[in-house]
């Protein structure tokens, strides 16, 4: 329908006349619909009765207004604003009219705009949502790779995983990079490892930036609208500046760092120095603080700003943000940019219409709330009553309208949006979601229309209080509905309809419903509505074709819901040509196999066997039981069985034995994949999700057999029918149950194997066998084993055949059979699988030496129970005689039991020593923990130290209690039992062996006739006190004995209150020493006893709640790092001891002073009970005495710090923007880079390191944000500070000290000590009184020197120094030196000699391969990181003397260039023969055409520009120009000059080296002044314009020169992959690893890799050079190199160059004998005369230099012999 454009003119001529109205029909105001209003048919008025009434009321008011004022009312026009959708008014004219009306209204009342005034209410719709819009949304769904965000007015946007935050993007890219290395990984799995639920949560409100909107169309389908959003703060806070950050406004932030007390957040602003901070208590209840993850995004309320505005205090607590009644709304803003979606405001209602509400914020900003966001749709109260004109209401900004002419915002006044909460059913539960009450797809039988929006739709009451539904006009009927009327028509107000829920929008709080009959009739609306196992009907949508043909069919079951039918599920049989059967549009019936909601996938089956099955589907293990039967599909076949797939995730395993009643060898011969089989469950475990199924017929008889298996128990006697005989066993069928069982032939008799075989021969199939004993059964395998051994059957009848550990008794003889035989013994089995071990040592002596101990498997045997271990479930047997008692039946003869020389004089037999007997013993020896005694001859005993004293007072020497006893002393004792030396306990007398050792007690209190009470652990109570004795000393505890049977543990912390004694437990508490201890914990089940030797008031706390701040406790050091020490206070409590809290003097704080397991005293500083964290202090002033001298006082809170206070601290972190210094465990100070030093430090990071002690002054304290700022400048700390010397302080004649910064052929550059980077040049002519031939041999970089100032040019910042000894006389040496400087000898003090990693002479002496090795110098040549490579000093002009040594701070652009003041300025040649001095002089005169330049060279920008006009291709001029700008600290200008040079120099072969020089200089510039990003970009461009291999080599050289060896290593490693065909790359890398990295092993690993990459003709040469590195490098192995060369000359004996190189290396190595042997071997080869002459001559020269006359004669004789033999061969 065409657009409707109408004007409304409301005029009133006179008050008495009826107003003449010409008003168009009221447009159906809509912010949601894109449909245009239609004209009603017929000739009647197009105005509704309500519109007629509104026009009449407006006419009356205009008439009254004209009567009162004498003026006519202002007229305004209203036009259709947007394609006839909604009508708007001219905002400016309207508000001008209102202002005029206000002025004329003396009563001060605001004139009300009439409802008939056609107002344009801006609302959010898809058309108004343009890229760049900002909108508030709520997270409604979190998917694998994106987030669904519910937007106002039933819109939904999607946030890709890469548009959340920078940190999330980095993590995802890292995961993708890792996954890229794994073959076969699909795209979906690349991000599945990243859980977006840790970043955002459902129901969270976020501000989103609209990235794009598009409509995706497909053939035959309606276009689908897609909105792509971004919640990255960089986009979500677009337009936000520092001035717009005000309190109570909302800002989006992402977590960048999680700290102990809060999180640091990024706001994404252009000013990266502005950061947010949110305390740990401001996170809210949506997520625990411990669960916060970097990259998480929050919409936060600004609660405060720091004094400088750099730190914004934030809160994400929805309860606090939503409490706008408490003032959390924006009341003042310096700019309109502060009004962004999410911010709460207070608006003044200026107009109320049926379409919504208009208002103003702060009187300047227009806002609108549409019919939904104003609450009109959900409220029965009229809007003009709820929001009267002129009233102030709270609202929250929803969106922006970038396309509107004036800035206008959309707002919402809905309660849940104001509170930023999820709408819930208030009357039911605060947490019950509306969807839980009225799910999507549900049908509402009676939906009552409560509001009609003509042209838009209707709002309905669904019976859910507080929530309404909305049916769009397009969803009212299957037929098109032209228009709607409130009082007439089928959809009038109050009409009842049948509706279906099709959606829900949490932002609007509205259900979306449809009245369409076709929607009501649909079986499914969503994939969630489809059930697994459900039978569905659909049509073939398309065929899926893969490499093997048709791989499946896509079936559409309803609009928008499709599923895949895999190829194996197309039919019950395999289809050869599926495409012939399944045509597009074909109707089919299938059953749902599985649904994956996360991936939105559905699998179907078209197999008739499954579709038509009436058996309940198996889709959950929990509902399955043994015996159930159902069809399944074979999805995997193996030799062991098959996997059967059912529905959902339910699968079962079909063993091959259960596939058929007949034997199946290979399942693949009888079954195929995709085949449907009927199976029944034999076992199922819902917990483990495992199931075993069977294809065998589960008849009633068989089922009863399975059930009766449970009735068969080991030990039962049964009767069996023989069904089958084999060579090893007999199969019988148990008569009572029909269950099959196995009877081994060896179990037919107790006799020999032959006898068993004879019995088996007499047994026939069908014969019944009685009195069979059930040995054991395996229910999992349905296996029953029987026996017919008479010994077992009889023992079972007598009750002597055990079936469990509880039936065993020590000493009992039990029959069994041999289960297995090993070299160390025999395993004997009894009933129910009970098995004991019979060791070889317990077999009879006559069988121990026979093979297999004379036994066979399954042979009957019997043995006695020797020992039982109930805890381990083990027992041992013995066939030797076991003495059960000392009575006559023990087997001991009378002679063995008789006593000789009893100590008590009364005992006559060993049988007299019974339990509790009082007797006497003689001490034989005394140990630390026991006394060995003798009761009689050959009868020994022991007295434990715990059984020697009654009380603490009886012990005289508590470290050595038994010293009070003497050897041969006779003491009264009482027998406690027999000592068990293996288990360190005593046993009852009846369990003693043949030669017992009696356990005795010498306690006086035990020497009575009272009943003996033996102490056991179950008799010990908590808090009881005991006398204990140290039995063993552990690392962190003492093991003590309360009695011989009871042992306990005392932790080191609980040994003593004197911490000094705990340092050496073994020394202070030796074994045997006595202690008084108190029981802390008793665990009889685990035989555990914990004690404490400290007093009850000072015991170690057991829980963190027992601690208080300030408490002093002993602790044990458990972990030591460089930064902190972990101290354990109790078994479950540990705390950290930081460097800052280790000492009162930070100089003494050192973690290495502690030792592991050391005991120290600590004081509790901070106690965080919720997080169970402790901060401890070991300061002597805290743990010993507060009166001790404290050099570095403890800082408890930030309020202690005062500005200008000088404090010390430890460097906590070295960041890019400065230092962070720890002043206390919870207080960190920030030091800016500008506050680090008074002088410029080029590499300031290398000056500081973590845990370094620094002294600074507090310059700022912010208690609100817990921020402290300090300065380390000496000028700030020292009142008497003297500023470093500058160029202005230098004067001629001053003597200074300094260090050599750079060594050149023409002189050295000296950096003055204690200066502000003051440096100058000492020319070679001023170095010494004599002429110097080579400067580099005299000085090295870093040498300390004393120099005299000869010339000063402050304006040019140039100084000339002299080092001649004649300059330093006795008079000047004392008077001219600055304070603190010392004079050297002869003016030069050589303090250090630095090692140049790549010395030129290291490579120059090799006669073979030297050309290749020269390239190594490009990596490691000397220099300060400048651009000396590839520049020939003779090929470039030099502009006067002043260009010499042109320097910047720490950056030398002349680098390795040899500068000459006589160079030809006008020469553009690239090199050649150097002209004579005379010619050079004339050339210098003729070239001097500038006239304006001073003889000292260019001194200004204009000078350089003039020179470059004449020589645009001179790289040297460009580099000098760049150096000039850097001298002025103009780094950006230097970059611009480099870019100009690249663009200006002509691209030709002649200028190739010039361009290369500029690129190398550019790389040096970025390496020194840039960052990794800028350097990488320049390097990329350089590789595009130059030879990539050359640029890689140059960058590697730059890295090495600047000391960045790790980057150099990575780059060289990359080069071996990119340029693997160049042997120089491999050699350079190996040289770097040998000499720079000192990693010869890694270098040697390169050779095999190089051999694989390089052509074969390079192998020999490269191997030779690797061998040379072994000789040349200080980290090489000459023997390894010698071995390599030996292999080469043996393989290539005719390669004389290899011999020659080998000789050079041996001669240089100084091994004369090795060299001689090589000469002998090479001259013994068949050589040509010329070559032989060469080697003999060289040998002779070697002997003349290193040998004697005799050796020279020997060489001459060998040469003569060689000549003679050659002559003879020719003859």
């Amino acid at each position: 329908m065409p657009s409707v454009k109408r004007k409304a003119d409301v005029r009133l001529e006179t008050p008495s006349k009826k107003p003449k109205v010409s008003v168009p029909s009221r447009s159906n105001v809509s912010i949601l619909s894109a449909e245009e209003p239609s004209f009603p048919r017929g000739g009647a008025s197009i105005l509704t009765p309500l519109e007629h009434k509104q026009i009449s009321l407006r006419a009356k008011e205009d008439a009254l207004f004209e009567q009162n004022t004498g003026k006519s009312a202002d007229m305004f026009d209203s036009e259709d604003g947007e394609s006839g959708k909604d009508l708007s008014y001219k905002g400016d004219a309207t508000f001008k009219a209102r202002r005029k009306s206000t002025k004329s209204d003396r009563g001060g009342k605001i004139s009300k705009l009439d409802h008939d005034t056609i107002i344009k209410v801006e609302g959010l719709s898809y058309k108004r949502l343009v890229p760049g819009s900002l909108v508030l949304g709520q997270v409604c769904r979190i998917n694998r790779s994106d987030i669904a965000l519910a937007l106002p007015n039933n819109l939904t946007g999607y946030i890709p995983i890469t548009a959340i935050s920078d940190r999330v993007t980095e993590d995802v890219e890292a995961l993708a990079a890792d996954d890229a290395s794994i073959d076969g990984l699909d795209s979906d799995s690349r991000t599945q490892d990243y859980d977006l639920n840790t970043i955002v949560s459902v129901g969270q409100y976020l501000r989103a930036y609209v990235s794009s909107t598009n409509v995706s169309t497909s053939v035959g389908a309606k276009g689908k609208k897609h909105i792509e959003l971004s919640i990255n703060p960089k986009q979500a806070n677009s337009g936000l500046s520092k001035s717009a950050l005000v309190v109570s406004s909302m800002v989006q932030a992402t977590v960048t760092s999680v700290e102990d007390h809060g999180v640091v957040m990024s706001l994404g602003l252009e000013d990266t120095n502005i950061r947010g901070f949110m305390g740990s208590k401001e996170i809210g209840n949506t997520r625990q603080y411990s669960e916060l993850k970097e990259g998480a995004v929050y919409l936060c309320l600004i609660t405060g700003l720091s004094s400088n505005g750099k730190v914004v205090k934030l809160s994400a607590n929805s309860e606090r943000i939503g409490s706008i009644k408490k003032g959390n709304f924006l009341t003042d803003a310096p700019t309109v940019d502060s009004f962004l979606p999410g911010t709460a405001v207070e608006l003044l209602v200026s107009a109320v219409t049926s379409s919504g509400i208009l208002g103003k914020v702060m009187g300047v900003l227009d806002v609108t709330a549409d019919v939904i966001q104003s609450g009109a749709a959900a409220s029965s109260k009229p809007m003009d009553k709820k929001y009267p004109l002129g009233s102030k209401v709270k609202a929250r900004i929803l969106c922006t309208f970038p396309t509107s002419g004036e800035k206008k915002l959309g707002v919402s006044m809905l309660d849940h949006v104001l509170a930023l909460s999820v709408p819930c059913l208030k009357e039911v539960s605060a947490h019950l979601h509306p969807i839980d009450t009225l799910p999507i797809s549900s049908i509402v039988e009676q939906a009552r229309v409560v509001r009609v929006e003509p042209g838009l739709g209707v709002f309905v009451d669904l019976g859910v209080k507080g929530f309404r539904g909305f049916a769009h006009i397009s969803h009212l009927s299957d037929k098109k509905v032209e228009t709607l009327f409130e009082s007439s028509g089928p959809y009038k107000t109050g009409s009842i309809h049948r509706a279906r829920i099709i959606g829900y929008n949490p932002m609007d709080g509205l259900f979306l419903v449809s009245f369409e009959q076709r929607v009501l009739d649909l079986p499914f609306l969503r994939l969630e509505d489809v059930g697994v196992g459900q039978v569905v009907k659909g049509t073939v949508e398309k065929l899926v074709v893969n490499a093997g043909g048709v791989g499946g069919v896509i079936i559409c079951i309803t609009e928008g819901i499709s599923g895949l039918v895999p190829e194996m599920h197309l039919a019950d049989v395999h289809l050869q040509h599926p495409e012939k059967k399944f045509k597009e549009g074909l109707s089919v019936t299938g059953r749902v196999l599985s649904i994956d909601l996360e991936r939105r996938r559905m699998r179907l089956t078209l197999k008739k066997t499954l579709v038509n099955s009436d058996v309940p589907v198996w889709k959950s293990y929990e509902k399955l039981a043994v015996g159930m039967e159902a069809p399944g599909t074979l999805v995997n076949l193996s030799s062991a069985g098959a996997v059967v797939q059912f529905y959902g995730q339910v699968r079962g395993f079909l063993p091959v034995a259960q596939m058929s009643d007949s034997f199946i060898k290979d399942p693949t011969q009888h079954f195929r994949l995709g085949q449907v089989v009927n199976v029944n469950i034999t076992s199922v475990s819902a917990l483990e999700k495992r199931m075993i199924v069977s294809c065998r017929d589960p008849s009633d008889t068989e089922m009863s057999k399975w059930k009766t298996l449970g009735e068969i128990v080991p030990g039962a006697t049964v009767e069996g029918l023989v069904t089958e005989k084999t060579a090893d066993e007999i199969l019988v069928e148990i008569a009572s149950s029909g269950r099959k069982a196995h009877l081994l032939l060896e179990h037919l008799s107790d006799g020999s194997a032959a006898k068993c075989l004879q019995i088996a021969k007499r047994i026939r199939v069908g014969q019944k066998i009685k009195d069979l004993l059930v040995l054991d059964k395996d229910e999992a395998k349905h296996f029953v084993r029987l026996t017919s051994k008479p010994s077992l059957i009889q023992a079972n009848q007598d009750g002597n055949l055990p079936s469990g550990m509880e039936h065993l008794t020590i000493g009992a003889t039990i029959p069994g059979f041999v289960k297995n035989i090993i070299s160390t013994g025999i395993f004997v089995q009894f009933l129910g699988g009970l098995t004991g071990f019979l060791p070889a040592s317990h077999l009879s002596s006559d069988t121990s030496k026979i093979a297999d101990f004379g036994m066979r498997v399954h042979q009957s045997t019997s043995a006695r129970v020797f020992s039982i271990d109930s805890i381990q479930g083990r027992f041992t047997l013995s066939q030797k005689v076991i003495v059960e008692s000392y009575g006559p039946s023990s087997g001991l003869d009378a002679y063995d039991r008789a006593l000789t020389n009893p100590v008590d004089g009364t005992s006559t037999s060993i049988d007299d020593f019974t339990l509790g007997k009082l007797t006497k013993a003689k001490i034989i020896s005394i140990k630390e923990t026991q006394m060995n005694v003798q009761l009689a001859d050959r009868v020994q005993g022991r007295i434990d130290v715990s059984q020697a004293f009654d009380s603490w007072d009886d012990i005289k020497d508590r470290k050595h209690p038994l010293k009070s006893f003497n050897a041969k002393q006779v003491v009264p004792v009482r027998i406690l039992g027999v000592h068990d030396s293996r288990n360190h306990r005593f046993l009852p007398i009846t369990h003693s062996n043949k030669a017992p050792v009696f356990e005795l007690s010498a306690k006086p209190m035990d020497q009575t006739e009272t009943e003996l009470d033996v102490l056991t652990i179950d008799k010990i109570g908590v808090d009881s006190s005991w006398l204990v004795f140290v039995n063993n000393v552990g690392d962190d505890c003492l093991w003590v004995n309360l009695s011989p049977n009871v042992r306990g543990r005392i932790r080191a912390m609980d040994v003593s209150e004197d911490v000094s004694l705990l340092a050496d437990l073994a020394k202070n508490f030796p074994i045997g020493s006595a202690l008084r201890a108190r029981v802390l914990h008793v665990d009889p089940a685990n035989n555990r006893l914990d004690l404490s030797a400290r007093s009850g008031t000072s015991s170690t706390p057991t829980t963190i709640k027992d601690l208080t701040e300030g408490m002093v406790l002993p602790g044990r050091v458990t972990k030591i790092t460089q930064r902190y020490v972990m101290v354990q206070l109790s078994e479950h409590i540990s705390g950290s001891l930081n460097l800052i809290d280790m000492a009162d003097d930070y100089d003494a704080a050192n973690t290495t002073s502690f030792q592991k397991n050391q005991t120290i005293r600590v004081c509790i500083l901070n106690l965080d009970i919720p997080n169970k964290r402790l901060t401890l202090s070991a300061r002597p002033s805290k743990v010993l005495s507060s009166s001790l001298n404290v050099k570095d006082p403890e800082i408890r809170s930030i309020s202690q710090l005062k500005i200008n206070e000088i404090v010390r601290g430890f460097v906590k972190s070295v960041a890019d923007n400065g230092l962070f210094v720890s002043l206390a465990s919870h207080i960190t100070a920030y030091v800016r880079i500008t506050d680090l030093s008074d002088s410029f430090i080029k590499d300031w990071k290398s000056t500081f390191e973590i845990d370094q002690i620094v002294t600074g002054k507090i310059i700022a304290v912010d208690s609100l944000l817990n921020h402290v700022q300090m300065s380390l400048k000496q000028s700030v700390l020292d009142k008497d500070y003297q500023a470093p010397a500058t160029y202005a302080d230098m004067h001629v004649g001053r003597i200074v000290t300094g260090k050599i910064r750079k060594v050149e052929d023409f002189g050295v550059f000296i950096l003055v000590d204690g200066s502000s980077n003051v440096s100058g040049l000492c020319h070679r002519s001023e170095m010494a009184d004599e002429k110097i031939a080579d400067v580099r041999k005299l000085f090295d970089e870093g040498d300390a020197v004393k120099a005299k100032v000869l010339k000063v040019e402050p304006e040019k910042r140039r100084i000339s120094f002299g080092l001649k000894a004649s300059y330093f006389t006795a008079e000047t040496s004392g008077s001219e030196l600055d304070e603190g400087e010392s004079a050297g000898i002869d003016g030069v003090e050589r303090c250090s000699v630095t090692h140049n990693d790549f010395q030129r002479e290291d490579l120059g002496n090799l006669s073979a391969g030297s050309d290749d090795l020269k390239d190594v110098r490009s990596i490691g040549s000397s220099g300060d990181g400048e651009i000396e490579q590839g520049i020939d000093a003779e090929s470039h002009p030099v502009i006067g003397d002043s260009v010499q040594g042109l320097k910047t701070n720490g950056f030398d652009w002349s680098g390795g260039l040899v500068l000459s003041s006589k160079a030809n300025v006008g020469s553009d040649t690239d090199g050649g023969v150097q002209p004579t001095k005379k010619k050079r002089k004339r050339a210098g005169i003729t070239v001097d055409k500038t006239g304006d330049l001073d003889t000292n060279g260019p001194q200004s920008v204009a000078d350089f520009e003039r020179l470059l006009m004449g020589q645009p291709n001179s790289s040297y001029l460009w580099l000098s120009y760049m150096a000039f700008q850097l001298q002025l600290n103009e780094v950006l200008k230097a970059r611009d000059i480099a870019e100009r040079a690249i663009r200006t120099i002509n691209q030709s072969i002649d200028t190739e080296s010039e361009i290369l020089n500029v690129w190398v200089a550019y790389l040096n510039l970025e390496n020194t002044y840039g960052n990794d990003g800028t350097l990488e970009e320049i390097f990329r461009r350089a590789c595009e314009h130059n030879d990539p291999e050359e640029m890689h080599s140059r960058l590697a050289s730059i890295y090495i020169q600047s000391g960045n060896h790790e980057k150099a290593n990575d780059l060289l490693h990359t080069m071996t992959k990119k340029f693997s065909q160049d042997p120089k790359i491999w050699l350079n890398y190996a040289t770097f690893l040998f000499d720079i990295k000192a990693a010869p092993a890694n270098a040697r690993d390169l050779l095999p890799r190089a051999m694989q990459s390089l052509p074969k003709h390079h192998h020999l040469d490269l191997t030779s050079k690797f061998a040379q590195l072994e000789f040349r490098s200080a980290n090489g192995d000459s023997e390894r190199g010698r071995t390599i060369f030996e292999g080469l000359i043996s393989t290539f004996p005719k390669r004389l160059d290899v011999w020659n190189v080998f000789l050079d290396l041996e001669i240089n190595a100084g091994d004369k004998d090795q060299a001689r042997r090589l000469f002998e071997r090479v001259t013994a080869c068949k050589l040509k005369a010329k070559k032989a002459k060469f080697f003999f001559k060289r040998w002779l020269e070697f002997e003349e230099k290193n040998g004697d006359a005799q050796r020279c004669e020997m060489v001459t004789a060998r040469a003569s012999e060689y000549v003679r033999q050659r002559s003879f061969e020719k003859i």
Side-chain angles (χ1 to χ4, degrees), residues 438 446 460 597 647 652 1093 1257 1301 1315 1472 1491:
L438 205 58
Q446 292 187 340
V460 296
L597 295 177
Y647 296 91
K1257 178 180 283 189
R1301 192 175 74 175
S1315 66

Side-chain angles (χ1 to χ4, degrees), residues 1246-1541:
S1246 62
T1247 308
F1248 299 93
E1249 61 181 12
I1250 295 176
D1251 296 334
Q1252 177 183 345
I1253 300 176
V1254 295
T1255 303
K1257 178 180 283 189
I1258 305 298
I1259 59 176
V1261 178
D1262 189 340
S1263 301
L1264 178 63
L1265 298 177
N1266 199 30
H1267 285 182
V1268 180
Q1269 188 172 339
M1270 62 188 299
S1271 173
L1272 307 183
K1273 286 184 176 180
Q1274 195 64 27
S1275 58
V1276 176
L1277 296 173
D1278 190 2
K1279 296 180 180 179
D1280 302 327
Y1281 170 76
Q1282 293 183 356
T1286 62
Y1287 283 95
D1289 298 328
M1290 298 292 109
H1291 56 83
V1292 177
R1294 180 173 179 176
I1295 296 176
V1296 297
T1297 59
K1299 290 182 175 59
I1300 302 297
R1301 192 175 74 175
K1302 180 76 173 180
V1303 180
E1304 299 290 352
D1305 293 338
F1306 53 81
V1308 295
F1309 292 94
I1310 301 173
L1311 179 64
V1312 179
D1313 292 338
S1315 66
S1316 180
N1317 286 321
V1318 175
S1319 64
L1321 171 67
C1322 176
H1323 195 266
R1324 61 187 298 171
S1325 61
E1326 297 295 338
M1327 290 183 180
D1329 295 320
E1330 297 82 10
K1331 184 178 180 180
I1332 298 176
D1334 189 355
V1335 177
R1336 299 184 186 275
K1337 291 184 178 181
L1338 184 61
F1339 293 100
D1340 286 327
E1341 293 181 17
D1343 288 351
V1345 296
K1346 181 176 69 174
K1348 183 175 182 179
V1349 179
L1350 302 181
K1351 182 180 179 181
V1352 180
E1353 297 178 76
E1355 65 281 357
K1356 297 181 180 180
R1357 301 171 66 86
R1358 293 175 182 169
I1359 303 174
S1360 296
F1361 291 110
L1363 299 177
K1364 291 182 178 180
S1366 58
Y1367 290 150
F1368 305 99
T1369 62
E1371 292 78 16
T1372 60
S1373 63
S1375 60
E1376 295 294 337
L1377 278 174
D1378 292 340
E1379 183 178 356
E1381 297 176 349
S1382 59
I1385 301 174
D1386 294 333
V1388 181
E1389 183 181 28
R1390 304 295 301 275
C1391 296
S1392 63
V1393 178
T1394 60
H1395 173 69
N1396 196 342
D1397 290 325
F1398 285 79
Q1399 295 291 341
R1400 301 177 187 269
E1401 54 270 18
D1402 289 341
L1403 303 177
N1405 293 331
L1406 300 179
S1407 61
S1410 59
D1411 292 336
D1412 292 336
L1413 291 177
K1414 287 179 182 178
D1415 293 331
V1416 182
R1417 300 173 193 167
S1418 66
I1419 300 177
S1421 57
S1422 61
D1424 290 339
E1426 296 80 13
I1427 50 171
E1428 75 277 13
Q1429 302 95 331
I1431 303 179
D1432 188 356
E1434 297 180 358
S1435 64
H1436 295 278
V1438 183
I1439 315 301
D1441 294 337
S1442 61
V1443 183
Q1444 286 193 8
L1446 186 60
K1447 289 268 189 173
T1448 62
N1449 293 335
F1451 198 87
D1452 181 8
W1453 285 92
S1454 60
L1457 296 176
V1458 182
L1459 305 179
S1460 173
S1461 62
K1462 305 295 185 179
N1464 187 345
V1465 177
S1467 175
D1468 284 336
T1469 62
D1470 293 329
V1473 181
Q1474 183 175 345
T1476 62
K1477 289 185 177 180
K1478 187 174 182 180
K1479 290 183 179 180
R1480 288 202 304 271
K1481 188 174 183 181
R1482 285 201 301 269
I1485 295 173
T1486 57
V1487 168
D1488 190 11
K1489 299 177 180 180
T1490 59
D1492 296 332
L1493 292 178
D1494 187 77
T1495 57
N1496 290 329
Q1499 302 297 316
S1500 64
V1501 173
D1503 292 346
F1504 279 104
E1505 294 291 345
R1506 282 196 296 272
L1507 285 174
L1508 288 173
M1509 289 177 64
Q1511 303 178 61
N1513 294 335
S1514 173
S1515 62
Y1516 181 74
L1517 280 179
W1518 287 107
L1519 303 191
S1520 301
Y1521 196 5
M1522 294 168 65
F1524 174 78
Q1525 294 293 353
L1526 286 177
Q1527 187 179 8
L1528 303 176
N1529 293 326
E1530 297 289 350
V1531 179
L1532 294 178
K1533 291 184 178 180
R1535 288 193 177 103
D1536 294 339
I1537 294 170
E1539 295 288 349
R1540 280 182 56 198

Side-chain angles (χ1 to χ4, degrees), residues 915-916 942-944 946-947 974-992 997-1001 1006 1012-1016 1019 1041-1046:
L915 181 64
R942 70 180 291 274
I943 303 174
D944 190 82
S946 61
Q947 300 300 315
R974 190 171 189 178
I975 298 177
L976 301 177
V978 178
H979 177 68
D980 183 3
S981 59
R982 175 177 296 180
N983 298 319
H984 301 285
R985 59 192 179 96
F986 63 87
L987 303 173
I989 299 296
T990 56
H991 292 168
S992 62
V997 176
F998 290 96
E999 191 73 49
L1000 309 172
S1001 173
D1006 288 338
L1012 183 63
D1013 185 13
V1014 178
L1015 179 66
T1016 57
K1019 298 179 181 179
N1041 277 5
L1042 283 73
S1043 74
N1045 265 1
V1046 180

Side-chain angles (χ1 to χ4, degrees), residues 1717-1747:
R1717 281 193 289 268
L1718 273 182
F1719 277 120
E1720 291 176 0
R1721 291 170 59 188
V1722 69
T1723 54
C1725 299
K1726 291 183 179 180
L1727 303 175
K1728 293 182 180 180
K1730 186 177 181 180
K1731 296 296 183 181
K1733 180 180 179 181
F1734 169 77
F1735 282 109
F1736 277 116
K1737 183 180 180 180
R1738 190 172 182 192
W1739 191 0
L1740 183 60
E1741 292 174 353
F1742 172 77
E1743 295 297 349
E1744 289 175 350
K1745 183 178 180 180
N1746 300 289

